[in-house]
Amino acid sequence: MKVKLRNPDREVEVAGERKVHDLLGELGINPDTVLVIRERELLTREDRLGQQDEIEVRPVISGGGGR
Amino acid sequence: MNRMKCRRCKAPAVVEVRRHNAAFCRDCFEHYVRAQVVRAIAHYDMVGPDDRILVAVSGGKDSLALWDLLLDLGYRADGLYLGLGIGEYSSRSGDVVRAFAGERDTRLIEVDLAGEYGFDVPTAGKKGSRSTCAVCGLSKRYVFNKAARDHGYDVIATGHNLDDEAATLLGNTLRWQTEYIARQFPVLPAEEGFARKVKPLYRLSELETAAYAFLRGIDYVVEECPLVAGNTQLRYKDAMNQLESTSPGTKAQFFLSYLDRAAPLFATQDDAHLTACERCGQPTTARFCAFCRARAQILGERLGGPSNEPVVIADLSEEVMPVELYGANP
């Protein structure tokens, strides 16, 4: 599957099916800090990802001097 | 496929809220988010039905989600966007904010920092004594308050979420900055030239505001500010997230329990006497407000006229006015 990562934008290829939780673990990403998106739908940790999926892992953390 | 089920309706879930040991489908998640905001507003009597609200919008998920929620709940909420001059990042931010306002046919007030005050944030970070994030935050608080007063708004609403507040409280607690802790509250009442400030998203995590913005189809700026690398607030958030990953609910307990049980213990030390800044008239505890002092330093100007003793530029790095008098994050 293709996994799009942000900040900075980049793409990685991951072989095989797995759960969202497992994918994030392999990528070293805390599940509480990202949205996982497939075909404009949000996924939860338990959702399964297929070999042909295109996934976006979108960080939600922002910082700075105010909003 | 073993999908999580929505706690309310048992449909397939799209968002998990681990601290509540719950997951929600799209409709029920939006209901949950609205309920949290309604509860926050009611608990602290943040805004009334006739109040004119000015929402400080950056183009990020939190402020646009907040604006969307307030409009959806029927409040009179206009937006204020401050152009910071951070290259493509600011250009994109301005575009998404204008598009949001246009789609909802609602009023957007725009202020350009360079056009109005003669400097942008990247320049300020190089020329001033404050960090880039500090001068950015100071500028926002100054402009938001001034715009609210100039345009007759009753209240300023900002998109600070639970993660922001927990990280700020952690930072203030690690240094025992009791005067800042005393003023870290979801509502700061109007006083001597300061408009009321409210944070209706304080019960919602960053993940929840991002999920809400996404599910509502809000086009927001995903990219992080290019100047934020190394920001202290991000390190505190990272520490809180590590705790949260093994103990869901830690952030909420830390901040919400502070509000319920610890805040009253700190709420007695606010004896700052406010006066009008001699340069701009905004409230300050010093002769000149922190913004005017920072601006003078950045522009290489000296504050004070012929009849006044000039302020020595070397003294401008001293933060006479507590940042939290404006009620936002340091």
Side-chain angles (χ1 to χ4, degrees):
Chain A
M1 73 191 78
K2 286 181 181 170
V3 182
K4 180 182 181 183
L5 302 166
R6 309 292 296 263
N7 294 339
D9 284 4
R10 59 213 188 276
E11 199 168 274
V12 297
E13 191 80 34
V14 177
E17 299 181 355
R18 69 228 323 120
K19 286 186 176 180
V20 167
H21 179 75
D22 296 328
L23 173 70
L24 296 178
E26 289 167 33
L27 295 171
I29 295 172
N30 182 337
D32 292 330
T33 65
V34 292
L35 299 180
V36 180
I37 303 161
R38 177 179 59 194
E39 296 177 3
R40 302 192 57 76
E41 296 284 342
L42 290 183
L43 302 177
T44 66
R45 285 182 304 146
E46 297 300 320
D47 287 326
R48 289 200 71 83
L49 303 170
Q51 178 65 39
Q52 302 304 316
D53 285 347
E54 294 188 10
I55 308 296
E56 178 187 346
V57 178
R58 181 184 294 189
V60 301
I61 309 298
S62 54
R67 287 284 176 276
Chain B
M1 189 180 289
N2 293 323
R3 296 200 68 172
M4 288 185 185
K5 295 283 192 292
C6 175
R7 173 192 268 189
R8 288 181 81 226
C9 73
K10 308 306 177 195
V14 296
V15 184
E16 183 184 12
V17 183
R18 289 209 302 147
R19 74 173 186 280
H20 292 315
N21 195 25
F24 298 102
C25 70
R26 177 191 179 131
D27 289 347
C28 292
F29 179 70
E30 290 185 14
H31 173 89
Y32 158 79
V33 169
R34 279 189 207 99
Q36 294 296 319
V37 171
V38 168
R39 182 176 174 185
I41 290 173
H43 188 72
Y44 288 107
D45 197 16
M46 290 182 177
V47 290
D50 297 325
D51 279 343
R52 292 185 67 214
I53 306 170
L54 189 59
V55 184
V57 285
S58 65
K61 64 188 189 309
D62 302 296
S63 58
L64 290 180
L66 173 60
W67 199 2
D68 180 81
L69 280 156
L70 292 174
L71 291 172
D72 195 48
L73 291 169
Y75 288 104
R76 303 165 68 197
D78 296 333
L80 171 66
Y81 173 71
L82 174 61
L84 301 168
I86 309 176
E88 274 300 306
Y89 176 76
S90 287
S91 299
R92 164 99 173 112
S93 301
D95 288 345
V96 300
V97 169
R98 285 179 212 109
F100 182 99
E103 287 164 10
R104 287 155 180 81
D105 196 23
T106 188
R107 185 185 184 198
L108 174 68
I109 298 170
E110 293 195 53
V111 177
D112 181 69
L113 193 60
E116 201 76 28
Y117 299 101
F119 69 92
D120 57 28
V121 166
T123 304
K126 290 172 190 160
K127 291 193 174 176
S129 61
R130 291 169 171 80
S131 71
T132 306
C133 290
V135 77
C136 180
L138 174 64
S139 302
K140 285 177 177 176
R141 292 186 290 272
Y142 179 87
V143 171
F144 295 162
N145 191 64
K146 185 172 187 305
R149 295 175 66 194
D150 290 350
H151 294 277
Y153 287 91
D154 301 293
V155 56
I156 301 167
T158 59
H160 293 89
N161 57 48
L162 177 61
D163 293 59
D164 296 323
E165 295 304 300
T168 297
L169 181 61
L170 176 63
N172 288 337
T173 303
L174 288 173
R175 298 188 193 87
W176 287 114
Q177 292 172 304
T178 53
E179 73 279 18
Y180 290 1
I181 294 173
R183 296 190 64 88
Q184 192 184 346
F185 217 62
V187 60
L188 289 177
E191 58 174 327
E192 295 184 61
F194 285 113
R196 190 188 336 149
K197 286 200 68 179
V198 299
K199 303 173 183 176
L201 302 184
Y202 78 91
R203 301 186 61 85
L204 292 163
S205 75
E206 207 144 38
L207 183 73
E208 290 158 39
T209 60
Y212 177 85
F214 178 86
L215 292 172
R216 293 283 290 173
I218 296 171
D219 180 26
Y220 65 89
V221 178
V222 175
E223 293 76 25
E224 185 57 280
C225 171
L227 305 179
V228 82
N231 176 276
T232 310
Q233 179 94 340
L234 288 179
R235 291 203 295 275
Y236 293 145
K237 283 188 175 182
D238 188 46
M240 294 300 297
N241 280 328
Q242 288 187 38
L243 293 170
E244 186 81 12
S245 67
T246 51
S247 302
T250 299
K251 275 183 277 196
Q253 279 207 0
F254 181 54
F255 185 65
L256 301 182
S257 296
Y258 154 75
L259 292 178
D260 287 342
R261 298 207 289 272
L265 304 176
F266 291 92
T268 58
Q269 302 298 322
D270 186 13
D271 54 0
H273 175 68
L274 296 173
T275 180
C277 170
E278 288 186 20
R279 168 67 71 91
C280 72
Q282 289 254 63
T284 177
T285 53
R287 185 176 164 202
F288 299 102
C289 72
F291 178 80
C292 282
R293 286 183 282 123
R295 180 181 177 222
Q297 188 183 40
I298 294 160
L299 299 179
E301 295 177 346
R302 294 176 76 85
L303 283 171
S307 61
N308 296 319
E309 188 71 20
V311 170
V312 179
I313 297 300
D315 290 340
L316 296 179
S317 61
E318 293 177 16
E319 184 60 86
V320 176
M321 181 167 190
V323 168
E324 286 299 315
L325 275 178
Y326 287 97
N329 293 331

